[in-house]
Amino acid sequence: MSMSDPISDMLTRIRNAQLVSKATVSMPASKVKTGIALVLKDEGYITDYRDVELDGKPGLEITLKYRDGRGVITSLKRASRPGLRNYRGKDDLPRILNGLGTAVISTSKGIMTDTSARAAGQGGEVLCFVT
């Protein structure tokens, strides 16, 4: 069965796994999901991620990060969705909690944070917000 929004599915799986204090969460893999996982790891929201095989198909396993028994990710929200894409220019990229949060942006140079997109002078599709 095909999914209408695989990125939203990924974010929901991470949210649900953190609510029940799971150590890892698995999901079908794609290049975009791997890019989002790399950004989350670089920003310190997850411990690690790795490629696995799920029922003979490529999968992604994310190791979640906890501090004092609570998940490091407090909010994970989808910004652009298939029915309403959210594109921003380099000057209009969102700042999440005055720079304390992260917006994940899909640019022509790859998937990156709002801060690195601003530094690279790139705009793009705002995929999600993480705090």
Side-chain angles (χ1 to χ4, degrees), residues 30-40 49 60 104 111-112:
S30 72
K31 289 180 183 179
V32 175
K33 290 180 187 180
T34 304
I36 292 172
L38 177 64
V39 168
L40 291 177
Y49 72 94
L60 185 67
V104 181
I111 295 176
M112 55 182 74

Side-chain angles (χ1 to χ4, degrees), residues 32 43 102:
V32 175
E43 293 296 308
T102 303

Side-chain angles (χ1 to χ4, degrees), residues 4-131:
S4 65
D5 191 4
I7 296 171
S8 185
D9 177 66
M10 173 193 185
L11 301 178
T12 300
R13 285 179 192 233
I14 293 172
R15 234 181 282 119
N16 290 343
Q18 266 201 336
L19 285 174
V20 294
S21 301
K22 293 271 189 184
T24 63
V25 59
S26 298
M27 64 201 70
S30 72
K31 289 180 183 179
V32 175
K33 290 180 187 180
T34 304
I36 292 172
L38 177 64
V39 168
L40 291 177
K41 181 182 177 188
D42 290 345
E43 293 296 308
Y45 291 111
I46 61 173
T47 304
D48 199 10
Y49 72 94
R50 65 187 180 103
D51 294 324
V52 295
E53 192 169 307
L54 300 173
D55 299 326
K57 296 180 180 170
L60 185 67
E61 184 177 82
I62 295 177
T63 306
L64 300 175
K65 192 174 191 177
Y66 296 93
R67 184 176 299 132
D68 298 329
R70 298 185 63 192
V72 173
I73 298 173
T74 56
S75 171
L76 194 57
K77 187 177 180 202
R78 181 81 157 110
S80 181
R81 50 194 171 89
L84 182 63
R85 298 290 184 187
N86 186 358
Y87 295 100
R88 298 288 179 93
K90 64 178 181 176
D91 299 325
D92 298 326
L93 290 174
R95 290 183 57 83
I96 311 304
L97 296 177
N98 282 332
L100 295 177
T102 303
V104 181
I105 314 289
S106 176
T107 69
S108 59
K109 304 270 189 210
I111 295 176
M112 55 182 74
T113 65
D114 56 330
T115 309
S116 49
R118 250 185 239 100
Q122 293 286 312
E125 183 178 0
V126 182
L127 297 177
C128 62
F129 303 125
V130 187
T131 57

